[in-house]
Amino acid sequence: MSRFHELAFTPAVKDLQQQHNSRRQYERMEQTGPSGSTLGVSEQTFLSLRDSFYIASVSETGWPYIQHRGGPKGFVRVLNPGLIGFADLRGNKQYISLGNLQHDARVALFFMDYPNQTRLKILGRVEVHEQDAEAPALIESLRTAEPGAVIERAILIHVEGFDWNCPQHITPRYTIEELQEALAPLQTKLAKLEAENAALRNKLSPQSKPHT
């Protein structure tokens, strides 16, 4: 049985699926989805190309909170097929997610590929390393080349389950880097055409007559 669906499909969720005639479909998915908490090659490759993700946690008062995390591509490292981690950088010092994790280590992660309309969902349990014996080595192993980054702690996430979403309703969006890559052939072609036009104009322009 799919571990992600086992965790996400609570009795209340299944009741609603039954009411809205989708329960049979998701029963099949429960049997065919990833059965464990081990990330495969596709998931690991997908994570290595991501430059951001969203993390959801819940406070001790029961309020959910979603935070965005970003960095260079691959800043979230796959330490082993069941464990991912990242260097947590100094931000606005609100520490809402960090405080929530002291109450409940469970998190939900969304990794988005907007151009290809793809989404990987991960459920996991967080392990925070800050000012402990393991922190220095972990921080160094997770450090990126991001200039001026101040790392406060290492955050590890033990994967409990994962699932892919369909592309429906994911609006394609593109980074500047992705746009530049897509437009590069057109820019090269345009520059060539402009050079050819300039050469033709010079060739067709009348020669200046000498003054008498």
Side-chain angles (χ1 to χ4, degrees), residues 10 73 91 97 128 159 161 173 177:
T10 63
K73 284 185 179 180
S97 294
V128 179
V159 178
R173 293 182 173 88
E177 180 185 356

Side-chain angles (χ1 to χ4, degrees), residues 127-174:
E127 180 183 330
V128 179
H129 290 275
E130 181 179 2
Q131 298 179 350
D132 58 28
E134 297 178 68
L138 283 171
I139 286 173
E140 286 307 312
S141 69
L142 297 170
R143 186 183 297 276
T144 67
E146 193 172 1
V150 178
I151 302 174
E152 291 192 330
R153 63 194 60 82
I155 292 185
L156 308 182
I157 301 168
H158 297 268
V159 178
E160 292 282 346
F162 61 92
D163 190 31
W164 295 89
N165 264 127
C166 69
Q168 189 178 22
H169 306 309
I170 300 178
T171 303
R173 293 182 173 88
Y174 302 88

Side-chain angles (χ1 to χ4, degrees), residues 42-54:
S42 297
E43 289 79 25
Q44 294 183 44
T45 301
F46 186 80
L47 292 178
S48 73
L49 298 174
R50 304 279 66 79
D51 60 6
S52 68
F53 70 95
Y54 302 93

Side-chain angles (χ1 to χ4, degrees), residues 1-34 119 121 162-169:
M1 182 177 182
S2 165
R3 177 60 174 160
F4 181 92
H5 296 122
E6 180 185 354
L7 295 171
F9 291 174
T10 63
V13 171
K14 291 180 181 179
D15 285 344
L16 286 171
Q17 291 172 353
Q18 190 69 42
Q19 291 176 36
H20 294 281
N21 301 314
S22 64
R23 182 68 200 130
R24 183 174 298 178
Q25 169 192 348
Y26 285 114
E27 279 181 335
R28 292 195 296 269
M29 292 180 64
E30 288 173 8
Q31 301 306 318
T32 58
R119 175 172 54 217
K121 302 181 294 187
F162 61 92
D163 190 31
W164 295 89
N165 264 127
C166 69
Q168 189 178 22
H169 306 309

Side-chain angles (χ1 to χ4, degrees), residues 61-186:
T61 56
W63 283 100
Y65 182 73
I66 298 176
Q67 190 168 45
H68 174 268
R69 281 285 188 265
K73 284 185 179 180
F75 78 101
V76 176
R77 308 284 175 77
V78 179
L79 303 178
N80 65 55
L83 181 67
I84 61 177
F86 64 96
D88 194 32
L89 307 184
R90 179 176 298 166
N92 57 16
K93 297 188 176 182
Q94 287 187 342
Y95 301 117
I96 298 175
S97 294
L98 196 64
N100 290 350
L101 294 173
Q102 291 183 359
H103 157 71
D104 190 335
R106 291 175 296 179
V107 292
L109 311 176
F110 268 30
F111 291 88
M112 306 296 299
D113 179 354
Y114 287 105
N116 295 302
Q117 296 176 284
T118 307
R119 175 172 54 217
L120 176 62
K121 302 181 294 187
I122 294 178
L123 298 177
R125 295 180 185 272
V126 167
E127 180 183 330
V128 179
H129 290 275
E130 181 179 2
Q131 298 179 350
D132 58 28
E134 297 178 68
L138 283 171
I139 286 173
E140 286 307 312
S141 69
L142 297 170
R143 186 183 297 276
T144 67
E146 193 172 1
V150 178
I151 302 174
E152 291 192 330
R153 63 194 60 82
I155 292 185
L156 308 182
I157 301 168
H158 297 268
V159 178
E160 292 282 346
F162 61 92
D163 190 31
W164 295 89
N165 264 127
C166 69
Q168 189 178 22
H169 306 309
I170 300 178
T171 303
R173 293 182 173 88
Y174 302 88
T175 64
I176 292 176
E177 180 185 356
E178 289 163 344
L179 287 173
Q180 289 174 337
E181 183 178 348
L183 293 174
L186 293 176

